[in-house]
Amino acid sequence: MPRALLLENIDPVATEILGSAGYEVESLRGALDEADLIAALDGVDLLGIRSKTQVTAEVLRSRPALEAVGAFCIGTNQIDLTAAAAAGVAVFNAPYSNTRSVVEMAIAEIIILARRLVDRDRSLHAGTWDKSAAGSHEIRGRTLGIIGYGNIGSQLSVLAEALGMRVIFYDLEDKLALGNAERCNSLDELLERAETVTLHVDGRAGNAGLFGAEQFARMRPRSLFLNLSRGFVLDHEALRDSILSGHIAGAAVDVFPHEPREQGDEFTSVLRGLPNVILTPHIGGSTQEAQHDIGRFVAGKLVDYTATGTTTLSVNLPTVVLHGSSADRFALLHRNVPGVLARVDALVGEHGLNVDAQVLATRGEHGYAVTDVSAPLPADLLAGLAALPEAVRLKRFGPRGG
């Protein structure tokens, strides 16, 4: 029986889906460091992680039979995608499933910060009745600046506008503005115009240190700031200085450069204890609805890949999907050089088989071909395909359904 290892408390629906597909599933609550992960991967065919487990090249080398990794989250910067592709390991994530949860949390935090509800709550818990409108504002009519206009940023744009906010955004790519949102030509333009700035950028290496003292200085006095994207994009010392100086009136931070690995571990940050600052433990997408949908989505992608060779929405392999029926199917991940498909088809023909259907796609250094043939694949044909000098990984799937 094939085995799947799920780490970091992935929703039980993933266990149900993989179990129904014939996998023996082991599920652990926490992350594993490199040495422990290497030991745990013995005999494992599928690995499921969230944001804390690092899948390094060494981890991938330790388990050559590993077929795929599922990142049950949005980001994949915790996985060496290049090494995974070179090893023939497909990687899938959930780019859309928790979008709404992050957006709702951002909206809630913008309102909480604008009304200074954190400070009012702390005062009342301390026994002080502080009923005052000082520093408390509606968000209607105020300008929200969104940095990163992807799935989350664009949906936040729509909801914020529905609440009466003016929306401006900045993105490195030329994104279509939704509703009445207005694109800024530069980050500096956004910072100088917005009264609330929120980061929704991805985890690419170029975003490290994106926001620091220079950017805070360009923001309007008494602005609000949110980061629900990646911990390493923000200079936390610079944010602390801006809060203490009064230049930034409030902030909400959900992600940190160094986060505790286990539930209940001590959390340290220079942002602790600051006025009108909301700190949350990386829970932007952690609603029951989002985690269930992520578990369903990523587990489904893993099952589709291992059962049919489908790589739709893989983040590191060429995208291929082949429908139809035939006597047998195989998939060949190979180095992207001319002539590979011709040699594959020649081998199939030499063994007296017809190609019923075939799809090839390339991505960078790799090509991926899924082929349906008219009769069961003989062992010597499979051996010949695996022996091609360009071959990275060969997988046989057996008869296809309709």
Side-chain angles (χ1 to χ4, degrees):
M1 179 178 288
R3 292 182 57 209
L5 174 63
L6 304 181
L7 305 178
E8 303 183 62
N9 202 28
I10 291 168
D11 191 272
V13 69
T15 299
E16 295 173 11
I17 291 171
L18 293 171
S20 296
Y23 284 86
E24 177 187 339
V25 183
E26 180 182 7
S27 184
L28 303 179
R29 286 189 58 85
L32 295 178
D33 61 22
E34 185 178 75
D36 290 337
L37 179 57
I38 288 173
L41 282 178
D42 184 30
V44 169
D45 303 283
L46 298 178
L47 173 64
I49 63 169
R50 293 179 68 185
S51 59
K52 290 186 175 61
T53 301
Q54 302 295 310
V55 182
T56 63
E58 185 61 31
V59 167
L60 294 163
R61 280 193 293 270
S62 75
R63 179 58 180 164
L66 186 68
E67 292 191 52
V69 175
F72 287 74
C73 52
I74 294 178
T76 55
N77 54 297
Q78 72 277 36
I79 304 168
D80 189 329
L81 297 179
T82 301
V89 177
V91 178
F92 298 89
N93 68 336
Y96 314 113
S97 298
N98 66 0
T99 299
R100 178 69 183 203
S101 294
V102 177
V103 168
E104 287 188 3
M105 183 161 141
I107 289 289
E109 291 184 331
I110 291 168
I111 295 172
I112 289 170
L113 293 172
R115 295 295 301 272
R116 300 194 71 88
L117 297 184
V118 172
D119 290 349
R120 300 294 183 264
D121 173 73
R122 288 173 180 168
S123 294
L124 213 54
H125 274 287
T128 301
W129 185 264
D130 183 18
K131 182 179 179 180
S132 170
S136 180
H137 301 277
E138 294 182 352
I139 66 169
R140 179 179 55 175
R142 299 177 74 84
T143 301
L144 174 65
I146 301 173
I147 301 173
Y149 205 67
N151 299 323
I152 293 173
S154 57
Q155 189 171 142
L156 174 59
S157 170
V158 174
L159 265 66
E161 188 174 311
L163 290 171
M165 300 191 80
R166 293 187 294 268
V167 178
I168 59 177
F169 70 92
Y170 174 72
D171 196 287
L172 294 176
E173 298 180 11
D174 190 7
K175 298 292 184 66
L176 175 67
L178 302 181
N180 294 313
E182 179 185 346
R183 177 185 176 88
C184 293
N185 293 318
S186 68
L187 177 58
D188 287 348
E189 178 190 348
L190 180 143
L191 298 178
E192 291 165 3
R193 294 175 56 189
E195 294 160 293
T196 297
V197 172
T198 180
L199 300 183
H200 298 285
V201 299
D202 61 28
R204 71 186 69 180
N207 285 331
L210 171 70
F211 215 93
E214 179 182 349
Q215 288 70 39
F216 284 117
R218 288 187 177 273
M219 289 175 61
R220 295 164 60 115
R222 306 302 295 167
S223 295
L224 303 176
F225 174 82
L226 293 85
N227 181 25
L228 285 78
S229 59
R230 301 290 189 276
F232 64 81
V233 306
L234 172 65
D235 183 338
H236 287 216
E237 291 282 357
L239 174 56
R240 175 183 171 84
D241 292 343
S242 298
I243 292 287
L244 292 177
S245 71
H247 181 65
I248 299 300
V253 179
D254 184 52
V255 287
F256 303 88
H258 305 287
E259 298 180 355
R261 291 184 50 179
E262 297 286 348
Q263 187 90 354
D265 285 354
E266 182 183 6
F267 166 72
T268 59
S269 171
V270 297
L271 303 177
R272 286 175 53 183
L274 297 180
N276 205 30
V277 171
I278 303 170
L279 302 180
T280 49
H282 204 151
I283 57 170
S286 295
T287 60
Q288 292 185 25
E289 293 86 353
Q291 292 307 305
H292 180 86
D293 197 43
I294 290 171
R296 177 196 59 77
F297 182 87
V298 178
K301 290 297 177 186
L302 294 173
V303 169
D304 286 347
Y305 172 67
T306 56
T308 70
T310 297
T311 52
T312 303
L313 293 182
S314 169
V315 296
N316 70 327
L317 296 187
T319 297
V320 165
V321 57
L322 181 61
H323 300 293
S325 60
S326 67
D328 216 336
R329 170 177 290 186
F330 67 90
L332 179 68
L333 180 69
H334 58 272
R335 290 191 295 109
N336 185 18
V337 297
V340 175
L341 195 61
R343 287 191 286 278
V344 167
D345 291 348
L347 282 171
V348 171
E350 289 171 8
H351 287 78
L353 279 67
N354 287 325
V355 173
D356 289 340
Q358 189 173 58
V359 179
L360 166 70
T362 61
R363 182 174 183 167
E365 297 180 356
H366 294 93
Y368 182 64
V370 178
T371 303
D372 282 355
V373 294
S374 57
L377 291 158
D380 55 343
L381 172 55
L382 290 169
L385 293 167
L388 289 171
E390 301 86 1
V392 174
R393 177 170 296 208
L394 175 73
K395 181 175 174 64
R396 178 186 183 182
F397 297 95
R400 302 290 88 219

